[in-house]
């Protein structure tokens, strides 16, 4: 029998209040999620949670039998950010998720294994192999790649490296030096007043004909649409995907985890959750990248087309 | 500080050399480089001529093979590396870890530069590429302030190149998927941002509309200058306000920073624009050559000449320019 993927909860991309974060993980502890990513990945100015707070939540998660991974910043610019990162990497009792090559280098120098998030650019097997030599034990497929590329990767990947797929959430698409949340409020980044905190699912950017297009989250730009790959479970199992990542949103994350978990237990049941899952999205659904199209497209598959073509 | 200029064809390459570029960077005619546009770039014959022309004048040619080799087509990127090596280029500009690994193993004597597409914004990242592949120079993404560039240079094991002029990427290069989200093709996968094949213009009652795969990027009233619909430079709605939510159509111009960039030890200044005309290359190269020379002669009293600024303004996107992330307020 083929192995079913594990379920992971990605790092919170937004800037929530401390109370909301504490309450959120209190709920998460009760779910079936196997892996929990903790920590700030977008902006070094977001310091409402101190290192100790993350450590404490991590320990609580571990007590509930979850595997804890500490996520790190995606864009590292200042020397101060780099030294804070080094400290985190040296002292963390948890496995670390690298979101920049700097973190890969630091962990390699420390002789610690690591996993990589979706913003570490691994587009071919030779890159994966090379990072494996540096200590990579699990990688995340870049969100813009499709099932065709995944299948090719899975054919050649080293046995020791697991594969993770970004399966639910608004897609992280871009990072900048500029804070677009501050720009929207006419504030300077250096005096941002943490305005991103007002938008627990990011700030919608629409076209001039009111089509929801992107989502502003500080220096990060996300898709307005939410990717949902729950319906691809057959292919995940067939291709030997090890972990599915759900990216947290301000509401219904626990419900979404439960639906994923239920499909993992009973793979035929995905379709019946579609309408409620779509209701829980902050905007519409998309799955274009997975199908090799523009990321924003949403292709609704007929049940006849579930094979990978690589069997 | 070296001046590195772009060329999308042989006339541009010659214009760059004739007007004082220390090195010219070029790409081949496929998706192995980040300016994969129809009718642009070098076939074998033209590349050969270009390398000879530059070498005769004692200048250098760099080959940009700076997209990410796709898992289903790695062979094509290897061939591009081999071709560049056989041409006798002076350096390869690469971004991908797998391709750097191949190039450093197959051509150990060939000089490697880390492309801006590798998104290396700090000294620890540069150490990774230096230790593993022996890169000798890195091009920094356009996201660092001058102070941060200085910090990186102090800690960097390799020579640093920064962007001096040209179209401005607002996002960290190599980490922007906006184009593939809208069109299916991105710089990382295809070597193009907001590709021309996805662009549609339409005159409507509300004005001239530009769309990218159906997404309305901008709408121009009569008398407004319409620009190429690069998707981060369109006008969008955020909380009922319509405006340039990400960035305005504008170019980076660092003339006023030249003495400062030299002082902090920038090794090379790069001009963007392999997709631009030979006239653009000629004008920008002329101005930057003169400005760099003037700044070298007398950094204390250096002031950008009004004529230089005018010339650059004319070839800027939206006819306006910015210091970009080099200046904190932009961020």
């Amino acid at each position: 029998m083929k192995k079913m993927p594990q379920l992971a909860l990605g790092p919170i991309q937004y800037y929530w209040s401390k109370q909301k974060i504490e309450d959120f993980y209190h709920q998460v502890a009760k779910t079936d999620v196997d892996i929990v990513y903790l920590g700030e990945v977008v902006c070094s100015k977001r310091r409402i949670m101190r290192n100790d707070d993350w450590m404490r939540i991590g320990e609580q998660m571990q007590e509930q039998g979850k595997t804890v991974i500490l996520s790190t910043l995606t864009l590292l610019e200042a020397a101060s950010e780099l030294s804070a990162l080094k400290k985190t990497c040296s002292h963390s009792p948890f496995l670390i998720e690298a979101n920049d090559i700097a973190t890969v280098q630091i962990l390699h120098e420390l002789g610690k294994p690591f996993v990589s998030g979706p913003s570490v650019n691994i587009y071919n097997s030779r890159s994966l192999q090379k990072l494996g030599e540096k200590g990579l034990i699990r990688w995340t497929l870049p969100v813009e790649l499709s099932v065709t590329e995944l299948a090719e990767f899975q054919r050649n990947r080293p046995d020791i490296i697991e594969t993770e797929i970004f399966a639910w959430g608004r897609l992280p698409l871009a990072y900048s030096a500029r804070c677009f949340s501050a720009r929207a409020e006419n504030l300077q980044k250096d005096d941002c007043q943490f305005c991103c905190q007002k938008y627990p699912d990011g700030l919608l950017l629409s076209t001039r004909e009111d089509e929801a297009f992107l989502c502003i989250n500080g220096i990060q730009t996300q898709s307005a649409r939410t990717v949902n790959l729950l319906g691809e479970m057959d292919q995940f199992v067939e291709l030997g995907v090890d972990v599915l990542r759900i990216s947290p949103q301000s509401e219904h994350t626990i419900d979404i985890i439960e639906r994923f978990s239920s499909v993992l237990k009973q793979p035929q049941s995905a379709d019946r959750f579609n309408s409620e899952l779509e209701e829980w999205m902050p905007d519409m659904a998309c799955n274009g990248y997975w199908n090799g199209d523009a990321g924003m497209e949403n292709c609704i598959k007929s049940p006849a087309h579930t094979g990978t073509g690589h069997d | 500080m070296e001046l590195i200029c772009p060329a999308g064809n042989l006339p541009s390459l010659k214009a760059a050399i004739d007007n004082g570029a220390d090195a010219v960077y070029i790409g081949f005619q496929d998706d192995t480089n980040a300016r994969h546009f129809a009718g642009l770039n070098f076939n074998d014959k033209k590349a050969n001529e270009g390398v000879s022309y530059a070498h005769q004048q004692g200048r250098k040619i760099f080959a940009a093979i700076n997209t990410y080799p796709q898992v289903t087509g790695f062979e094509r990127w290897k061939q591009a590396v081999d071709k560049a090596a056989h041409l006798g280029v002076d350096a390869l500009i690469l971004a991908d870890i797998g391709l750097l690994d191949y190039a450093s193993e197959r051509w150990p004597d060939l000089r490697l530069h880390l492309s801006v597409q590798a998104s290396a914004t700090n000294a620890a990242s540069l150490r990774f590429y230096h230790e593993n592949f022996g890169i000798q120079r890195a091009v920094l993404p356009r996201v660092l302030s001058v102070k941060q560039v200085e910090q990186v240079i102090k800690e960097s094991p390799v020579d640093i190149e920064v962007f001096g002029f040209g179209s401005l990427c607002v996002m960290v290069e190599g980490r922007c998927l906006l184009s593939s989200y809208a069109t299916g093709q991105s710089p990382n996968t295809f070597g193009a941002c907001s590709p021309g094949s996805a662009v549609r213009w339409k005159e409507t009652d509300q004005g001239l509309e530009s769309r990218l795969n159906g997404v309305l990027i901008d709408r121009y009233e009569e008398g407004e200058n319409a620009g190429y619909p690069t998707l981060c430079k369109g006008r969008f709605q955020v909380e009922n306000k319509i405006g340039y939510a990400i960035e305005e159509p504008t170019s980076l111009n660092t003339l006023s920073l030249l003495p400062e960039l030299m002082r902090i030890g920038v090794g090379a200044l790069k001009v963007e624009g392999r997709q631009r005309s030979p006239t653009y290359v000629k004008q920008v190269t002329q101005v930057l050559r003169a400005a760099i020379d003037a700044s070298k002669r007398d950094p204390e009293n250096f002031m950008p000449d009004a004529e230089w600024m005018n010339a650059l303004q004319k070839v800027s996107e939206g006819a306006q320019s910015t210091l970009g992330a080099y200046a904190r307020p932009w961020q």
Side-chain angles (χ1 to χ4, degrees), chain A residues 74 175-176 190 209 289, chain B residues 132 170 172 175 180 211 328:
Chain A
T74 306
Y175 298 84
S176 175
D190 287 341
E209 50 193 3
Y289 278 137
Chain B
N132 288 291
V170 187
V172 184
R175 276 187 173 165
S180 64
R211 285 175 191 272
R328 292 292 303 188

Side-chain angles (χ1 to χ4, degrees), chain B residues 151-219:
Chain B
Q151 283 176 343
V152 170
I153 290 173
K154 276 189 187 143
E155 304 283 324
S156 170
V158 299
D159 189 30
I160 294 296
E161 179 172 322
V162 301
F163 276 89
F165 184 80
S167 269
L168 184 67
C169 261
V170 187
M171 306 299 181
V172 184
E173 296 88 337
R175 276 187 173 165
C176 179
L177 315 182
L178 296 183
S179 179
S180 64
Y181 181 66
T183 73
Q185 295 176 326
S186 76
N188 287 2
T189 55
F190 182 74
C193 167
S194 311
S197 57
V199 172
R200 296 289 180 275
W201 292 95
K202 197 180 173 192
E203 203 63 72
T204 71
D205 293 345
Q206 290 153 298
L208 177 64
E209 291 182 347
S210 60
R211 285 175 191 272
L212 202 60
N213 193 23
V215 178
L216 183 64
I217 302 299
D218 213 340
R219 184 187 282 151

Side-chain angles (χ1 to χ4, degrees), chain B residues 24 26 28 47 51 55 60-65 81 83-93 110-111:
Chain B
V24 180
I26 65 170
F28 300 128
V51 171
H55 287 174
K60 295 172 192 154
I61 297 289
F62 303 157
I65 307 173
V81 165
K83 181 156 77 176
H86 289 303
L87 279 167
V89 300
D90 301 278
L92 300 182
I93 308 173
L110 186 51
R111 186 180 162 96

